[in-house]
Amino acid sequence: PRNKRSEWVLTIQVGTQQISPLYWSISVGNLEAAQAIITDLLTIRADRERYYYGVDALFTAHEDIVSVLVEQAKTLVPTLFDGLVWRSRHSVDGFRRVNYY
């Protein structure tokens, strides 16, 4: 299900420990898998009831994702920044400013 998709790629239970498939793939050098995870999270999806965009889940689970990528996987920084959406918290006449990177 779309609403569980981000949970599956950000945290899994292995025995008594929780690990991040994203951080694990970065730590072992499997940057292709990490790129696929990031791209998947930043893809906007929808079903009949709502839209899904995994950026909030990504930054909630991994607040330090930018610094981790800069230190361990510089080639993935453009993948992360490409597709980010910034939404203003202020609306004017029902419209909200959005910047898409």
Side-chain angles (χ1 to χ4, degrees), residues 90-96:
H90 305 287
S91 62
V92 177
D93 297 327
F95 292 96
R96 186 179 305 268

Side-chain angles (χ1 to χ4, degrees), residues 6 10 38 40-44 52-63 65 80 83-87:
S6 60
L10 291 174
I38 293 169
D40 186 69
L41 285 168
L42 299 181
T43 299
I44 299 171
Y52 301 94
Y53 180 54
V55 72
D56 291 333
L58 173 62
F59 283 103
T60 298
H62 302 308
E63 296 174 355
I65 186 65
L80 175 67
L84 285 183
V85 175
W86 172 84
R87 299 167 304 268

Side-chain angles (χ1 to χ4, degrees), residues 11-101:
T11 243
I12 58 171
Q13 187 79 25
V14 178
T16 59
Q17 295 184 338
Q18 288 188 339
I19 64 168
S20 165
L22 175 59
Y23 277 3
W24 179 75
S25 62
I26 292 169
S27 70
V28 298
N30 190 347
L31 301 185
E32 291 174 1
Q35 182 175 11
I37 291 170
I38 293 169
T39 301
D40 186 69
L41 285 168
L42 299 181
T43 299
I44 299 171
R45 293 184 170 79
D47 60 21
R48 287 186 247 179
E49 297 178 16
R50 64 177 286 211
Y51 289 93
Y52 301 94
Y53 180 54
V55 72
D56 291 333
L58 173 62
F59 283 103
T60 298
H62 302 308
E63 296 174 355
D64 59 342
I65 186 65
V66 175
S67 62
V68 168
L69 292 182
V70 167
E71 292 172 9
Q72 299 180 29
K74 287 183 175 72
T75 58
L76 295 180
V77 173
T79 302
L80 175 67
F81 288 159
D82 182 33
L84 285 183
V85 175
W86 172 84
R87 299 167 304 268
S88 174
R89 59 189 156 123
H90 305 287
S91 62
V92 177
D93 297 327
F95 292 96
R96 186 179 305 268
R97 182 175 175 181
V98 174
N99 292 341
Y100 179 77
Y101 299 94

